Amino acid sequence: MKKTLIIAQGDVAKLVLDTILDKYFSNDYYVVIAKDESFIPPKVPSSFEFHIFDYTSAYRISQVVNDDIVNIFLVLDDESEIIATYKILREMSKKTRIVTAIEQSTPEMQADSNLVMLNQKLIFANKFIERLPNVPLIPRSFGLGQGEIMEVAIPAGSIFAYRHIGSIQQKKWRIVGVYRRGELLLSSHSMIIQPNDSLLIAGEPKTLNDVYKQIKSDIGQFPAPFGRDIFLYVDMSLSNEHRIWSDVQNALFLNKHLKNNKLFIHVLNPCSFELLDNIKALESKNVAVRIDYTRASFKDKITQDAQKRFGLVIINKDIFASRKNRRVLFELSIPVLKTGWEYIDECKKSFVILTKNMGNTENVASIVFDISKQLNLEVDVYDYDADASYHDEIMQSYEELSRIFERKMHAIQTDSKNPILYLQDSFTPYLCFVPFERNISRTKFFSFISTDVHKIESMNNKNPQIFIPLPKEQR
């Protein structure tokens, strides 16, 4: 029979034993060694045996410890006794798991992989920290205890509030459940997160820390949660100098106005040394320039960079024209800005086209308003249907987000003018938002006769366009 040995002395040991006797006495077989007979309860359960003697005596312990003992707990209030008893036990067994609480351990104890040492001061400190406001709750009594599981409350102004769980990008982390009004709800794709909910999330500790900051931060945080940096790629073998320099200016503008950490300018196939010098001169604390002399294609280069956490990738129409490039961008599931003839700093409004497939794409809507808020743009939402069967429910969700983000929104509902023609004829400089659907990554042959409005819109080179990745189940 497998047994657990508890060597007990002091107030903490008494509490531990009382709890086991009260709640867990039937879960295992316990052998208890103590010096004080007060540790023996009036009624001893059949799953317990008690021994009263000096546990620092190697001879006396050897009479109790045998191969049936698989776990040993040293719950003692005297650290010198802990060290002495530990040495005796290790002489008897090198591999038995021992758990104790000690602050001044020996080198031998520190090197022991089968010894679990609890730090009482750290435990107390964590308990205090967990009760501070705006600090995530991290369980440390199960799992790895490294922050891979976290509970985070949703404040009213969070970018996660009023969103379907399925609309939130969850890379290297997951929303496992939602605590709401004292009840645990298992997460589902369609569940809407409400203010004052608490999310139970799991994933990589570093990623969860970033997610926590996003949840607690004010609205207007793009490029989070995708990443924190902007990456501009220009290819001198494809684009002329004017086009490249325009792309650089657009990237610098966004680097100044969005809440990103840094702008990385990647120059592929360099050939104009004067332009290279001008670009290199832009290097600063917030701008890094990388020149690639390997003659790598954009597809190869961005594949190499895929391990980086892209917040936003900026390219022009020359790079976007390649189906291979569009496909790799689609598969990477990152936001992509395709620059247009109009400069982004000249844009006065954002533009998004509603379709029947956008009912569950809150990810698109929230990013539209997030970026619009940071760039101080009004939002035009174009709802076109030849039969006047408008998308009222989707429009209502946009109106709700416009109030949350405090953005002025114009709802345009029409059965007469196609949105593509509207954009072509408009004198308003628009920043367009397009859901990055799979069709866009495919060949453009016959796109001009396609009924997919977003695919046709992706061919628009007049306006700058931000392609927003969709959750995998919606792609």
Side-chain angles (χ1 to χ4, degrees):
M1 179 187 294
K2 303 299 182 183
K3 300 177 181 179
T4 296
L5 172 63
I6 301 175
I7 300 179
Q9 187 64 37
D11 294 338
V12 174
K14 193 74 169 62
L15 285 171
V16 170
L17 272 177
D18 287 347
T19 303
I20 296 173
L21 286 164
D22 181 44
K23 297 181 178 180
Y24 308 111
F25 64 88
S26 63
N27 290 11
D28 206 341
Y29 191 92
Y30 298 94
V31 178
V32 181
I33 300 176
K35 292 180 180 179
D36 190 345
E37 290 187 358
S38 65
F39 279 85
I40 303 177
K43 188 175 181 180
V44 178
S46 60
S47 57
F48 273 77
E49 64 178 79
F50 284 82
H51 301 270
I52 305 301
F53 59 76
D54 182 0
Y55 38 74
T56 60
S57 167
Y59 172 75
R60 298 298 300 271
I61 286 186
S62 67
Q63 303 302 304
V64 176
V65 175
N66 54 42
D67 292 341
D68 291 339
I69 302 293
V70 294
N71 288 291
I72 300 175
F73 287 78
L74 295 179
V75 193
L76 305 174
D77 53 6
D78 187 328
E79 291 203 351
S80 63
E81 288 191 345
I82 292 175
I83 294 171
T85 309
Y86 164 79
K87 289 181 178 179
I88 294 170
L89 292 168
R90 271 293 170 255
E91 287 295 324
M92 298 178 182
S93 173
K94 299 294 184 184
K95 295 184 178 180
T96 304
R97 177 174 176 261
I98 299 176
V99 180
T100 191
I102 188 170
E103 292 183 16
Q104 301 295 326
S105 59
T106 65
E108 179 189 0
M109 297 173 79
Q110 293 171 11
D112 188 347
S113 60
N114 293 313
L115 174 65
V116 178
M117 292 185 288
L118 307 178
N119 188 309
Q120 291 183 352
K121 290 182 179 178
L122 182 60
I123 292 171
F124 284 133
N126 285 332
K127 290 299 180 183
F128 279 109
I129 290 170
E130 287 173 359
R131 284 157 177 77
L132 289 172
N134 295 321
V135 170
L137 295 176
I138 300 173
R140 302 188 185 274
S141 58
F142 63 88
L144 300 177
Q146 298 174 356
E148 77 280 2
I149 302 171
M150 189 180 290
E151 179 187 339
V152 189
I154 303 295
S158 172
I159 59 174
F160 281 63
Y162 303 109
R163 293 181 62 182
H164 287 94
I165 287 177
S167 73
I168 298 171
Q169 293 280 344
Q170 298 172 56
K171 190 175 182 179
K172 297 184 179 180
W173 70 283
R174 290 290 183 273
I175 298 174
V176 179
V178 177
Y179 291 105
R180 180 177 296 165
R181 293 188 289 275
E183 183 180 359
L184 172 62
L185 307 175
L186 295 179
S187 66
S188 66
H189 177 80
S190 59
M191 183 181 291
I192 297 176
I193 299 171
Q194 303 288 344
N196 300 318
D197 283 349
S198 288
L199 301 186
L200 182 63
I201 59 179
E204 293 185 355
K206 185 179 183 302
T207 302
L208 291 192
N209 282 329
D210 292 340
V211 173
Y212 171 78
K213 293 174 184 176
Q214 293 158 20
I215 291 174
K216 292 296 185 180
S217 61
D218 295 331
I219 55 178
Q221 295 296 316
F222 185 87
F226 299 97
R228 278 296 181 185
D229 297 317
I230 296 176
F231 291 77
L232 167 65
Y233 290 87
V234 295
D235 190 334
M236 288 190 173
S237 68
L238 294 177
S239 307
N240 60 46
E241 293 186 18
H242 175 74
R243 179 75 266 159
I244 290 173
W245 190 246
S246 297
D247 294 340
V248 170
Q249 297 307 307
N250 282 318
L252 291 172
F253 175 80
L254 291 177
N255 187 52
K256 180 179 179 181
H257 290 85
L258 294 181
K259 292 184 179 178
N260 60 291
N261 286 340
K262 197 166 186 176
L263 167 64
F264 291 87
I265 301 175
H266 290 267
V267 180
L268 308 181
N269 301 305
C271 56
S272 172
F273 295 107
E274 182 179 354
L275 180 57
L276 274 181
D277 289 340
N278 290 335
I279 294 175
K280 288 179 181 178
L282 299 172
E283 281 205 287
S284 65
K285 179 182 178 182
N286 299 318
V287 179
V289 177
R290 303 286 185 264
I291 313 297
D292 190 294
Y293 293 98
T294 65
R295 303 194 66 79
S297 66
F298 169 78
K299 176 179 176 293
D300 293 336
K301 179 59 179 172
I302 201 165
T303 301
Q304 293 172 11
D305 295 342
Q307 75 277 7
K308 300 173 183 176
R309 291 193 65 192
F310 295 111
L312 175 67
V313 169
I314 303 176
I315 57 175
N316 60 32
K317 68 179 185 65
D318 301 324
I319 293 177
F320 195 78
S322 166
R323 180 171 60 88
K324 292 181 180 180
N325 294 342
R326 295 197 305 276
R327 181 182 294 174
V328 72
L329 289 168
F330 175 81
E331 294 299 336
L332 287 174
S333 192
I334 51 179
V336 177
L337 167 67
K338 183 185 72 163
T339 58
W341 302 120
E342 294 175 341
Y343 285 86
I344 296 176
D345 62 353
E346 296 174 348
C347 293
K348 304 301 180 185
K349 292 183 177 183
S350 297
F351 187 86
V352 61
I353 302 172
L354 295 190
T355 65
K356 64 180 180 180
N357 298 325
M358 293 182 69
N360 294 322
T361 55
E362 293 173 47
N363 194 51
V364 174
S366 61
I367 292 173
V368 169
F369 284 99
D370 189 322
I371 296 176
S372 298
K373 183 176 181 66
Q374 294 188 62
L375 301 184
N376 195 27
L377 303 176
E378 296 180 6
V379 180
D380 281 3
V381 182
Y382 202 93
D383 188 4
Y384 167 76
D385 191 280
D387 299 322
S389 299
Y390 301 124
H391 309 90
D392 294 329
E393 188 174 339
I394 305 175
M395 187 68 78
Q396 287 176 7
S397 68
Y398 273 76
E399 289 171 348
E400 176 64 28
L401 283 170
S402 74
R403 289 190 288 271
I404 294 173
F405 282 85
E406 299 178 335
R407 287 292 90 199
K408 189 173 182 180
M409 188 192 104
H410 307 273
I412 305 170
Q413 291 185 316
T414 178
D415 59 358
S416 59
K417 193 161 189 176
N418 183 290
I420 306 302
L421 296 176
Y422 176 87
L423 277 175
Q424 290 176 351
D425 296 341
S426 175
F427 291 101
T428 301
Y430 278 119
L431 172 60
C432 297
F433 290 84
V434 185
F436 205 160
E437 298 169 338
R438 185 174 295 276
N439 278 346
I440 294 173
S441 69
R442 293 171 176 160
T443 181
K444 287 189 175 182
F445 286 119
F446 305 113
S447 290
F448 59 92
I449 60 173
S450 172
T451 58
D452 186 337
V453 67
H454 292 136
K455 184 170 185 178
I456 300 172
E457 186 184 10
S458 70
M459 300 170 64
N460 169 24
N461 294 321
K462 172 188 173 185
N463 306 98
Q465 298 173 312
I466 294 182
F467 294 86
I468 303 170
L470 304 176
K472 286 187 177 180
E473 56 272 13
Q474 297 177 20
R475 298 168 72 184

